[in-house]
Amino acid sequence: MKPFTYARPNSAAEAVKAFAAAGRDARYIAGGTTLYDLMKLGIERPEHLIDVTAIRGLDRIETGGDRLRFEALAPMSAVAADPVVGRDYPVLAEALAKAASQQLRNMATVGGNLLQRTRCLYFRNGAGNPSSVGVYPCNKREPGAGCAAIGGLDRGQAVLGQSEACTAVSPGDWPVALTAMDAAVEVLGPSGARAIPIAELYRLPGATPHLEFMLAPGEMITAITVPKTPAGRRSTYHKIRDRESYAFALASAAVALEMEGERVTRAHIALGGVATRPWRATEAEQMLAGQPLTAAVSLAAGRAAFAGARPGRHNGFKIELGARTVADALMIAARRSA
Amino acid sequence: MPRKIRFKLNGRAVSTDVMPHETIVDMLTQHFDLTGARESCGQGLCGCCTVHVDEKPVSGCLSLAWFLDGANVRTIEGLADGDNLDPVQQAFIETGAFQCGFCTPGFIMMTKKLIEQHPKPTDDEIRHYLTGNLCRCSAYPEIIEAVKLAASRVGLRN
């Protein structure tokens, strides 16, 4: 592993200063479950780590008032176990509980998880991977190198949002649920604090897949806010994977519904496991407004969510699987009482 | 540059100098001769490296040792009281919940916390909680039995 220095500031403001002093090859580290994993593989090679885990009072979970607010250092397991989140926003609790293992949920933070990097096999198989069976070009790992996933073993790759440079799937569950719920992210950086809608945190790969997040150098996520909505109770995170535990999604859907009787008045739908970023299914949401929620309507909404999907060689199944995942999620959410 | 960290290890105050890249498993093995938590997959997938940090199970292969400064750490070596095994250890032996034993410390450390949170665990709760622990000998049915046996004994004692 490339040698690195470290700093352990006691406040967010000091952390931002430490980052600025360290320069561009610095990274913030909290749980470390993604960053340290990728450092072991030689993919992330920071020269300076700014350990933010000693910052006090940045792990609160606030559920009073007109929004939920999760500070960045709250462990995923703590938010998953919060009684108000579990009762009023099952989509959030389920997305967290279905992500990773209990050990990793205890380590990983809700802020850091938003920046988890792709599990694309080609991305992870660089020269530093000790179990690699070869080194494959990857534009995300090495800009301009090419993409071996396109036309390769692409069963796990994206069918939405991919470009000629990259088809890597955005791996998260939690960011998908937050996207459905119109969350915002509070960040602190060298030019001060700002809040951005979570939809604006993630980039499409385009010609620059190595750039994944709309964060300026030195900006750190400090909190996540979720506006309260009556749709929260009628919500679910439905995750379909190769095995029913501890696997990344082949397709997932975060769904929340406002209903009057059998009729949907407003739907929130976001997709995971199928796209290059957490994917808001706007067409499906619009289609559902005012409709009675029958099995046929749900499936039609699922199909609408994938209307723009483009399959690769081996991942065409994700389009039908994804549509049915949305349809099932809608029916599960609708059965929950508001 | 090494950095001195001070923490509690299996009830005892200790300190040691760690390098920035050392993981908890590196440090336990090399500085304290504690080999119960071991690195297998190195990615947080298999659970063989599970230790408790401030009463929470974490993957020691993905945690940097310097995170432990000021923490309370417990490893498999800290469970038994002299020759008296912990009820979870005893239950794993009685049910034959392992063959080669490589994964066993991780399973036992997880089971300790599992039965605190679920005093009468169902099969589903056990499977969900232990999802990050892999047994290549595939002793899973016996592991589930061991968890239930341990839970029943701990429940009786409390």
Side-chain angles (χ1 to χ4, degrees), chain B residues 38 42 46 48 54 73-74 107 117 125-126 130 137:
Chain B
R38 56 280 294 249
C46 75
C48 289
D54 294 333
V73 179
R74 190 151 63 147
F107 270 102
Q117 290 179 23
E125 285 167 341
I126 295 169
L130 298 181
C137 306

Side-chain angles (χ1 to χ4, degrees), chain B residues 19-85:
Chain B
M19 294 297 287
H21 63 269
E22 280 184 88
T23 65
I24 292 179
V25 171
D26 293 337
M27 184 203 65
L28 290 172
T29 320
Q30 292 165 31
H31 302 217
F32 295 99
D33 288 330
L34 297 177
T35 54
R38 56 280 294 249
E39 179 161 334
S40 180
C41 74
Q43 299 179 26
L45 301 173
C46 75
C48 289
C49 60
T50 304
V51 297
H52 296 176
V53 175
D54 294 333
E55 299 292 324
K56 284 189 204 159
V58 303
S59 297
C61 76
L62 275 189
S63 301
L64 292 168
W66 94 64
F67 282 2
L68 295 185
D69 197 22
N72 182 11
V73 179
R74 190 151 63 147
T75 70
I76 186 76
E77 289 89 350
L79 290 196
D81 179 9
D83 287 339
N84 294 322
L85 293 180

Side-chain angles (χ1 to χ4, degrees), chain A residues 29-249:
Chain A
I29 186 166
T33 51
T34 283
L35 180 57
Y36 196 65
D37 176 36
L38 292 173
M39 285 167 66
K40 282 183 164 183
L41 298 177
I43 294 168
E44 290 275 7
R45 287 183 289 178
E47 290 188 9
H48 310 279
L49 288 188
I50 318 290
D51 170 10
V52 296
T53 59
I55 299 174
R56 300 275 169 224
L58 199 63
D59 62 354
R60 286 171 296 196
I61 298 169
E62 297 162 13
T63 54
D66 59 357
R67 59 182 190 169
L68 308 169
R69 186 167 179 277
F70 310 115
E71 291 187 325
L73 292 178
M76 292 172 78
S77 57
V79 175
D82 183 89
V84 175
V85 175
R87 185 193 64 204
D88 293 346
Y89 297 88
V91 63
L92 300 179
E94 290 169 7
L96 290 165
K98 290 179 180 181
S101 66
Q102 183 68 38
Q103 291 97 317
L104 293 183
R105 290 193 295 271
N106 285 338
M107 300 160 70
T109 63
V110 291
N113 186 248
L114 299 184
L115 307 181
Q116 183 180 16
R117 302 197 67 194
T118 186
R119 300 295 296 190
C120 172
L121 293 172
Y122 295 99
F123 170 71
R124 289 177 65 82
N125 270 277
N129 187 335
S131 56
S132 173
V133 291
V135 177
Y136 298 91
C138 169
N139 288 320
K140 201 182 267 299
R141 184 163 22 81
E142 201 183 323
C147 172
I150 295 173
L153 297 175
D154 63 357
R155 178 175 180 269
Q157 302 298 111
V159 294
L160 289 165
Q162 67 271 46
S163 70
E164 286 177 16
C166 185
T167 62
V169 162
S170 179
D173 299 302
W174 171 237
V176 175
L178 291 172
T179 297
M181 302 313 287
D182 301 308
V185 177
E186 295 175 11
V187 302
L188 184 68
S191 30
R194 64 186 180 116
I196 48 175
I198 193 159
E200 292 171 23
L201 177 62
Y202 297 97
R203 294 171 185 257
L204 285 169
T208 55
H210 60 291
L211 302 175
E212 297 174 345
F213 310 106
M214 296 295 282
L215 291 175
E219 278 192 322
M220 173 172 74
I221 294 173
T222 52
I224 298 160
T225 57
V226 181
K228 285 197 176 172
T229 158
R233 288 201 177 186
R234 231 173 217 153
S235 72
T236 193
Y237 185 74
H238 196 45
K239 181 175 179 181
I240 305 300
R241 34 193 165 170
D242 278 325
R243 55 176 192 270
E244 193 44 44
S245 77
Y246 200 9
F248 288 88

